[in-house]
Amino acid sequence: MVFALDSRLRQDSHLIGRNQHALLLMMNDCRYPWFIVVPQRANVSEWFDLSQEEQVSLHLDCVRLGQCVQNAFACEKINIAALGNIVRQMHVHVVGRNTGDVAWPGPVWGHSPAIGYNDSQRDARRVALFEQPELPFTPI
Amino acid sequence: MVFALDSRLRQDSHLIGRNQHALLLMMNDCRYPWFIVVPQRANVSEWFDLSQEEQVSLHLDCVRLGQCVQNAFACEKINIAALGNIVRQMHVHVVGRNTGDVAWPGPVWGHSPAIGYNDSQRDARRVALFEQPELPFTPI
């Protein structure tokens, strides 16, 4: 079976980057710097469905992304999570959090409907992320 | 600075296991098989505060724990997450989820007050987990 990005993920986010193994999405919710990493592997829903080598490379990419999110957006805490209760295609959330964001200190998932970006907000956030030299993704 | 388990984590959970690098806690909430892994390192709150070697070993331990939780409790989905918005000491949640659990399909964090185990429930859950031969922790 060939990998195809889940339709719900595609609908809720912007595809902004990729590397050899994974896609980088930015959630269309301007309230948080919220990114999602999707390994390009079909039929994977759990971390342990990946090989150990894939588990390591995907995790290190997510942690580096988290560091870049903190550097780019001066976040107070980075949340890194693979849930997948609704969308079963394996994906990892990397979210920059701050005291005073609408869901703080609770989780962002299921809190309230997203507020989408306008074009200039979206571009500004994307550019700020890709200015981070350690980011393990190239822009699309 | 010497590592000491955060008081909130200690209060909300049972310390049930350990390995060379980390402690294994079981949340005192009988509604989910909910475990927490805490690396025994002082002053660490983010994944990227750990060395790359520590990031890899901790992550692989959490993924193996997730597989054991699925095997032991026949869960539909495993949630693995490092949030830390409230408790800043680095800790990783590994939670077995099922259609029909009280928070499904939303996240467990912040959903509703915990319902603690009675002694026999707690022992049964702990024993079932430690029966998994791949579990990367030994009982305390």
Side-chain angles (χ1 to χ4, degrees):
Chain A
M1 195 175 154
V2 174
F3 172 85
L5 182 62
D6 176 90
S7 59
R8 171 80 182 262
L9 291 178
R10 197 170 55 223
Q11 184 183 326
D12 292 349
S13 71
H14 302 285
L15 175 60
I16 62 168
R18 69 188 324 150
N19 65 19
Q20 200 181 345
H21 309 292
L23 301 177
L24 175 63
L25 313 178
M26 183 168 74
M27 273 292 276
N28 187 23
D29 190 336
C30 68
R31 302 173 299 169
Y32 325 91
W34 179 349
F35 302 90
I36 296 177
V37 182
V38 185
Q40 292 188 271
R41 280 280 313 274
N43 296 323
V44 166
S45 67
E46 299 281 5
W47 273 107
F48 45 81
D49 296 333
L50 296 168
S51 71
Q52 187 165 304
E53 189 179 11
E54 291 169 324
Q55 291 171 29
V56 169
S57 65
L58 178 62
H59 179 63
L60 293 178
D61 283 349
C62 292
V63 174
R64 281 191 209 104
L65 170 59
Q67 174 87 71
C68 292
V69 170
Q70 196 196 48
N71 292 347
F73 307 109
C75 302
E76 186 173 335
K77 189 69 192 67
I78 301 297
N79 296 170
I80 300 183
L83 305 180
N85 303 335
I86 295 170
V87 170
R88 289 301 165 89
Q89 181 172 77
M90 173 74 188
H91 60 286
V92 185
H93 300 269
V94 178
V95 193
R97 304 298 309 278
N98 283 294
T99 301
D101 72 37
V102 292
W104 184 267
V108 294
W109 309 280
H111 178 270
S112 51
I115 298 177
Y117 287 99
N118 64 37
D119 289 352
S120 66
Q121 288 173 324
R122 187 188 64 220
D123 290 347
R125 194 156 265 176
R126 181 169 50 182
V127 165
L129 184 69
F130 280 107
E131 280 173 351
Q132 300 301 312
E134 306 295 328
L135 190 73
F137 297 94
T138 54
I140 289 181
Chain B
M1 195 176 155
V2 175
F3 171 85
L5 183 61
D6 175 89
S7 59
R8 171 81 181 262
L9 291 178
R10 196 171 53 224
Q11 184 183 326
D12 292 349
S13 71
H14 302 284
L15 175 60
I16 62 168
R18 69 189 324 150
N19 65 19
Q20 199 181 345
H21 309 292
L23 301 178
L24 174 62
L25 313 178
M26 183 167 75
M27 274 291 275
N28 188 24
D29 191 336
C30 67
R31 301 173 299 171
Y32 324 91
W34 179 349
F35 302 90
I36 295 177
V37 182
V38 184
Q40 292 188 271
R41 281 280 312 274
N43 296 323
V44 167
S45 67
E46 299 281 6
W47 273 107
F48 46 80
D49 295 333
L50 296 168
S51 71
Q52 187 165 303
E53 189 179 11
E54 291 168 325
Q55 291 171 28
V56 169
S57 65
L58 178 62
H59 180 62
L60 293 178
D61 283 349
C62 291
V63 174
R64 282 190 209 105
L65 170 59
Q67 173 88 68
C68 292
V69 170
Q70 197 197 49
N71 292 347
F73 306 110
C75 301
E76 185 174 336
K77 190 68 193 67
I78 301 297
N79 295 171
I80 300 183
L83 305 180
N85 303 335
I86 295 170
V87 170
R88 289 300 165 90
Q89 182 172 77
M90 172 76 189
H91 61 287
V92 185
H93 299 270
V94 178
V95 193
R97 304 297 308 278
N98 283 294
T99 301
D101 70 38
V102 292
W104 184 266
V108 294
W109 309 281
H111 177 269
S112 51
I115 297 176
Y117 288 99
N118 65 35
D119 289 353
S120 65
Q121 288 173 323
R122 187 187 65 223
D123 290 347
R125 195 156 263 177
R126 180 168 51 183
V127 165
L129 184 69
F130 280 107
E131 279 173 352
Q132 300 301 313
E134 306 295 327
L135 190 73
F137 297 93
T138 53
I140 287 180

